[in-house]
Amino acid sequence: MEHYPEGKMAVLVVCALLCLSCWVSFYFILCNVNGSRSYEWNCRLVTLVHGILAVCITAYIGYVDGPWPFTHPGTKNTPLQISAMVLSLGYFIFDMAWCVYFRTEGPVMLAHHTMSILGILLTLWLGESGIESCAVLFGSEITNPLLQARWFLKQTGRYGTLLGDVVDVLFVLLFVVMRIFVGGTMLYCELISPRPRFFIKCGGVAMYALSWVFMVDIVRFAIRKSKSWHKHQRDRQELLAANGHEGKKE
């Protein structure tokens, strides 16, 4: 099995550690600047910044720099792909450590972080399939800003507004389209192509299966949200009808 020479891997390790240091430093800077906010508030700001950066870089890789992930899986990693993966690797290690230390996430999210770290490490070690990893990063991180926006709206007491409803609807739609439909197409192209390694294909299947685990929770949330919205509308109509009836009596 071919993989990167030890010298190049050493450089990648140093770069990953440097990125990890940058994310940790950014977090502590935010904690000092936002001293009145919670640790989770500042961690989610780091998550938001990473999500925006990852989406912008991987979108440029997929749509401009190339190659197209649906037609060229298993190709050699480009310098830009490596940079994007190393950047995200540092973040995932930081966030994984933070979640374990503060015990804020369940086994599903920890499994997602673990598979993301292992997938990036394997891709970097093999020196190929970087375009698929970047495509997965794009698909998984594109809903991240909406997820963080939802949390910040809750913390500031504005989740029950129209903006909160818009964020929820956009999050559900984007998740279904990107993680299930586009992700399923990407996985199919990965599996039928002879180029990607067997382990990479297994990783793709595992990540897609995890997306369906998240999807079950999202469907439950959407059902609860729909019932809550219909109940709110019914109560509002009953209140209006009652007020109208009282007005006639007067």
Side-chain angles (χ1 to χ4, degrees), residues 95-112:
D95 198 53
M96 179 81 167
W98 192 94
C99 292
V100 170
Y101 182 80
F102 287 97
R103 299 179 180 178
T104 58
E105 300 294 344
V108 177
M109 183 57 70
L110 293 179
H112 173 269

Side-chain angles (χ1 to χ4, degrees), residues 17-180:
L17 291 175
L18 182 61
C19 286
L20 172 60
S21 300
C22 289
W23 289 118
V24 172
S25 300
F26 181 43
Y27 169 70
F28 281 114
I29 290 172
L30 288 174
C31 287
N32 287 327
V33 173
N34 296 326
S36 60
R37 298 294 186 179
S38 66
Y39 292 131
E40 185 171 2
W41 178 286
N42 294 309
C43 183
R44 285 183 178 271
L45 283 177
V46 176
T47 300
L48 178 62
V49 171
H50 167 261
I52 294 172
L53 280 176
V55 167
C56 291
I57 296 172
T58 53
Y60 178 82
I61 289 171
Y63 292 103
V64 180
D65 192 60
W68 187 237
F70 295 96
T71 56
H72 292 79
T75 51
K76 296 294 182 181
N77 298 343
T78 66
L80 190 56
Q81 292 168 12
I82 294 171
S83 300
M85 288 187 288
V86 169
L87 178 74
S88 290
L89 177 62
Y91 163 75
F92 282 125
I93 293 174
F94 156 75
D95 198 53
M96 179 81 167
W98 192 94
C99 292
V100 170
Y101 182 80
F102 287 97
R103 299 179 180 178
T104 58
E105 300 294 344
V108 177
M109 183 57 70
L110 293 179
H112 173 269
H113 275 35
T114 301
M115 283 194 284
S116 297
I117 292 170
L118 293 176
I120 293 174
L121 286 173
L122 180 61
T123 305
L124 289 172
W125 183 64
L126 292 174
E128 59 189 48
S129 290
I131 189 61
E132 299 102 291
S133 291
C134 289
V136 171
L137 278 173
F138 176 80
S140 60
E141 293 298 321
I142 196 169
T143 54
N144 191 287
L146 292 170
L147 191 62
Q148 304 313 316
R150 181 174 179 268
W151 188 88
F152 286 123
L153 286 172
K154 279 188 174 182
Q155 296 300 306
T156 54
R158 285 177 277 185
Y159 178 64
T161 62
L162 176 62
L163 181 59
D165 291 335
V166 171
V167 168
D168 281 343
V169 171
L170 287 177
F171 172 77
V172 172
L173 289 177
L174 204 55
F175 187 96
V176 173
V177 171
M178 296 303 300
R179 297 284 285 267
I180 303 303

Side-chain angles (χ1 to χ4, degrees), residues 188-203:
Y188 173 75
C189 295
E190 179 85 3
L191 294 176
I192 65 172
S193 175
R195 284 192 300 265
R197 308 269 184 170
F198 175 74
F199 297 112
I200 297 293
K201 293 183 178 183
C202 290

